[in-house]
Short mmCIF file of all heavy atoms in Angstrom, two decimals:
data_model
loop_
_atom_site.label_atom_id
_atom_site.label_comp_id
_atom_site.label_asym_id
_atom_site.label_seq_id
_atom_site.Cartn_x
_atom_site.Cartn_y
_atom_site.Cartn_z
N GLY A 914 -9.33 18.95 -84.07
CA GLY A 914 -7.99 18.53 -84.45
C GLY A 914 -6.96 18.58 -83.34
O GLY A 914 -5.88 17.99 -83.46
N VAL A 915 -7.27 19.26 -82.25
CA VAL A 915 -6.30 19.40 -81.16
C VAL A 915 -6.25 18.14 -80.31
O VAL A 915 -7.28 17.62 -79.88
CB VAL A 915 -6.65 20.63 -80.28
CG1 VAL A 915 -5.86 20.58 -78.97
CG2 VAL A 915 -6.35 21.91 -81.02
N GLU A 916 -5.04 17.67 -80.06
CA GLU A 916 -4.80 16.59 -79.09
C GLU A 916 -4.14 17.23 -77.87
O GLU A 916 -3.00 17.70 -77.95
CB GLU A 916 -3.89 15.51 -79.68
CG GLU A 916 -3.58 14.40 -78.69
CD GLU A 916 -2.51 13.44 -79.19
OE1 GLU A 916 -2.00 13.65 -80.31
OE2 GLU A 916 -2.17 12.50 -78.45
N LEU A 917 -4.85 17.26 -76.76
CA LEU A 917 -4.35 17.92 -75.55
C LEU A 917 -3.67 16.89 -74.64
O LEU A 917 -4.27 15.90 -74.26
CB LEU A 917 -5.50 18.59 -74.79
CG LEU A 917 -5.14 19.38 -73.54
CD1 LEU A 917 -4.20 20.53 -73.86
CD2 LEU A 917 -6.42 19.93 -72.87
N VAL A 918 -2.41 17.15 -74.31
CA VAL A 918 -1.66 16.26 -73.42
C VAL A 918 -1.14 17.07 -72.24
O VAL A 918 -0.76 18.24 -72.40
CB VAL A 918 -0.49 15.56 -74.15
CG1 VAL A 918 -1.01 14.57 -75.16
CG2 VAL A 918 0.43 16.59 -74.82
N GLU A 919 -1.12 16.46 -71.07
CA GLU A 919 -0.70 17.16 -69.86
C GLU A 919 0.73 16.83 -69.48
O GLU A 919 1.16 15.67 -69.59
CB GLU A 919 -1.62 16.80 -68.68
CG GLU A 919 -3.07 17.24 -68.85
CD GLU A 919 -3.27 18.73 -68.66
OE1 GLU A 919 -2.27 19.46 -68.43
OE2 GLU A 919 -4.44 19.18 -68.73
N MET A 920 1.45 17.83 -69.02
CA MET A 920 2.79 17.62 -68.48
C MET A 920 2.68 16.92 -67.13
O MET A 920 1.63 16.93 -66.48
CB MET A 920 3.51 18.95 -68.28
CG MET A 920 3.83 19.70 -69.53
SD MET A 920 4.72 21.23 -69.14
CE MET A 920 3.67 22.43 -69.93
N ALA A 921 3.79 16.33 -66.68
CA ALA A 921 3.82 15.69 -65.36
C ALA A 921 3.48 16.72 -64.28
O ALA A 921 2.78 16.42 -63.31
CB ALA A 921 5.18 15.06 -65.10
N ARG A 922 4.00 17.93 -64.43
CA ARG A 922 3.68 19.01 -63.50
C ARG A 922 2.71 19.96 -64.19
O ARG A 922 3.12 20.76 -65.05
CB ARG A 922 4.95 19.74 -63.05
CG ARG A 922 5.82 18.95 -62.10
CD ARG A 922 6.97 19.77 -61.55
NE ARG A 922 6.48 20.90 -60.76
CZ ARG A 922 7.29 21.73 -60.08
NH1 ARG A 922 8.59 21.52 -60.09
NH2 ARG A 922 6.78 22.74 -59.39
N SER A 923 1.44 19.84 -63.83
CA SER A 923 0.43 20.68 -64.44
C SER A 923 -0.58 21.10 -63.39
O SER A 923 -0.54 20.67 -62.25
CB SER A 923 -0.29 19.93 -65.58
OG SER A 923 -0.96 18.79 -65.06
N ARG A 924 -1.48 22.01 -63.80
CA ARG A 924 -2.51 22.55 -62.91
C ARG A 924 -1.87 23.07 -61.62
O ARG A 924 -0.91 23.85 -61.69
CB ARG A 924 -3.60 21.50 -62.65
CG ARG A 924 -4.36 21.08 -63.93
CD ARG A 924 -5.45 20.07 -63.65
NE ARG A 924 -6.55 20.70 -62.91
CZ ARG A 924 -7.63 21.23 -63.48
NH1 ARG A 924 -7.76 21.22 -64.79
NH2 ARG A 924 -8.58 21.77 -62.74
N GLU A 925 -2.37 22.65 -60.43
CA GLU A 925 -1.86 23.19 -59.17
C GLU A 925 -0.36 22.92 -58.98
O GLU A 925 0.33 23.67 -58.29
CB GLU A 925 -2.63 22.60 -57.98
CG GLU A 925 -4.10 23.00 -57.91
CD GLU A 925 -4.98 22.05 -58.70
OE1 GLU A 925 -4.46 21.24 -59.50
OE2 GLU A 925 -6.21 22.11 -58.50
N ASN A 926 0.12 21.85 -59.59
CA ASN A 926 1.52 21.47 -59.42
C ASN A 926 2.41 21.99 -60.54
O ASN A 926 3.58 21.63 -60.62
CB ASN A 926 1.65 19.94 -59.33
CG ASN A 926 0.93 19.39 -58.11
OD1 ASN A 926 1.00 19.96 -57.04
ND2 ASN A 926 0.21 18.29 -58.28
N GLY A 927 1.85 22.80 -61.43
CA GLY A 927 2.63 23.31 -62.54
C GLY A 927 3.82 24.14 -62.09
O GLY A 927 3.76 24.84 -61.08
N MET A 928 4.90 24.07 -62.84
CA MET A 928 6.11 24.83 -62.49
C MET A 928 6.10 26.19 -63.17
O MET A 928 5.64 26.34 -64.30
CB MET A 928 7.36 24.04 -62.91
CG MET A 928 8.67 24.75 -62.57
SD MET A 928 10.10 23.74 -62.95
CE MET A 928 11.42 24.96 -62.82
N CYS A 929 6.62 27.17 -62.48
CA CYS A 929 6.71 28.54 -62.98
C CYS A 929 7.61 28.62 -64.21
O CYS A 929 8.56 27.84 -64.35
CB CYS A 929 7.24 29.43 -61.86
SG CYS A 929 7.41 31.17 -62.28
N CYS A 930 7.33 29.59 -65.08
CA CYS A 930 8.18 29.81 -66.25
C CYS A 930 9.43 30.60 -65.90
O CYS A 930 10.38 30.65 -66.69
CB CYS A 930 7.40 30.54 -67.34
SG CYS A 930 7.08 32.28 -66.95
N GLY A 931 9.43 31.24 -64.72
CA GLY A 931 10.60 32.01 -64.28
C GLY A 931 10.48 33.51 -64.42
O GLY A 931 11.39 34.24 -64.04
N ALA A 932 9.33 34.00 -64.95
CA ALA A 932 9.22 35.44 -65.23
C ALA A 932 8.46 36.21 -64.16
O ALA A 932 8.44 37.43 -64.19
CB ALA A 932 8.53 35.65 -66.58
N GLY A 933 7.81 35.52 -63.22
CA GLY A 933 7.00 36.21 -62.23
C GLY A 933 7.82 36.96 -61.21
O GLY A 933 9.05 36.84 -61.13
N GLY A 934 7.13 37.77 -60.40
CA GLY A 934 7.82 38.52 -59.35
C GLY A 934 8.74 39.60 -59.87
O GLY A 934 9.68 40.01 -59.17
N GLY A 935 8.50 40.04 -61.10
CA GLY A 935 9.37 41.06 -61.69
C GLY A 935 10.62 40.51 -62.33
O GLY A 935 11.42 41.26 -62.90
N LEU A 936 10.82 39.18 -62.28
CA LEU A 936 12.06 38.60 -62.82
C LEU A 936 12.07 38.55 -64.34
O LEU A 936 13.10 38.22 -64.93
CB LEU A 936 12.28 37.20 -62.24
CG LEU A 936 12.39 37.11 -60.71
CD1 LEU A 936 12.99 35.77 -60.30
CD2 LEU A 936 13.21 38.24 -60.14
N MET A 937 10.93 38.88 -64.96
CA MET A 937 10.90 39.01 -66.41
C MET A 937 11.95 40.00 -66.88
O MET A 937 12.50 39.87 -67.98
CB MET A 937 9.50 39.49 -66.83
CG MET A 937 9.33 39.75 -68.32
SD MET A 937 9.25 38.22 -69.25
CE MET A 937 9.15 38.86 -70.91
N TRP A 938 12.25 40.97 -66.03
CA TRP A 938 13.12 42.07 -66.44
C TRP A 938 14.53 41.93 -65.87
O TRP A 938 15.33 42.86 -65.99
CB TRP A 938 12.51 43.41 -66.00
CG TRP A 938 11.04 43.42 -66.24
CD1 TRP A 938 10.03 43.30 -65.33
CD2 TRP A 938 10.40 43.47 -67.52
NE1 TRP A 938 8.81 43.29 -65.95
CE2 TRP A 938 9.00 43.39 -67.30
CE3 TRP A 938 10.86 43.58 -68.84
CZ2 TRP A 938 8.07 43.42 -68.34
CZ3 TRP A 938 9.94 43.61 -69.87
CH2 TRP A 938 8.57 43.55 -69.62
N MET A 939 14.83 40.78 -65.26
CA MET A 939 16.16 40.60 -64.67
C MET A 939 16.80 39.32 -65.21
O MET A 939 16.12 38.36 -65.53
CB MET A 939 16.06 40.56 -63.14
CG MET A 939 15.59 41.88 -62.55
SD MET A 939 15.88 42.03 -60.77
CE MET A 939 14.57 40.99 -60.13
N GLU A 940 18.11 39.32 -65.26
CA GLU A 940 18.86 38.18 -65.77
C GLU A 940 19.11 37.17 -64.66
O GLU A 940 19.35 37.53 -63.51
CB GLU A 940 20.21 38.63 -66.36
CG GLU A 940 20.11 39.32 -67.70
CD GLU A 940 19.57 38.40 -68.79
OE1 GLU A 940 19.91 37.19 -68.79
OE2 GLU A 940 18.79 38.88 -69.64
N GLU A 941 19.07 35.88 -65.02
CA GLU A 941 19.46 34.82 -64.08
C GLU A 941 20.97 34.68 -64.14
O GLU A 941 21.54 34.49 -65.21
CB GLU A 941 18.79 33.50 -64.46
CG GLU A 941 17.27 33.52 -64.32
CD GLU A 941 16.64 32.17 -64.64
OE1 GLU A 941 17.10 31.15 -64.09
OE2 GLU A 941 15.71 32.14 -65.46
#
Side-chain angles (χ1 to χ4, degrees):
V915 166
E916 178 189 1
L917 183 60
V918 291
E919 296 285 2
M920 294 181 236
R922 287 187 63 175
S923 63
R924 297 181 71 93
E925 294 88 346
N926 297 318
M928 181 175 167
C929 180
C930 72
L936 301 196
M937 177 74 183
W938 318 105
M939 295 195 284
E940 285 296 323
E941 294 183 50

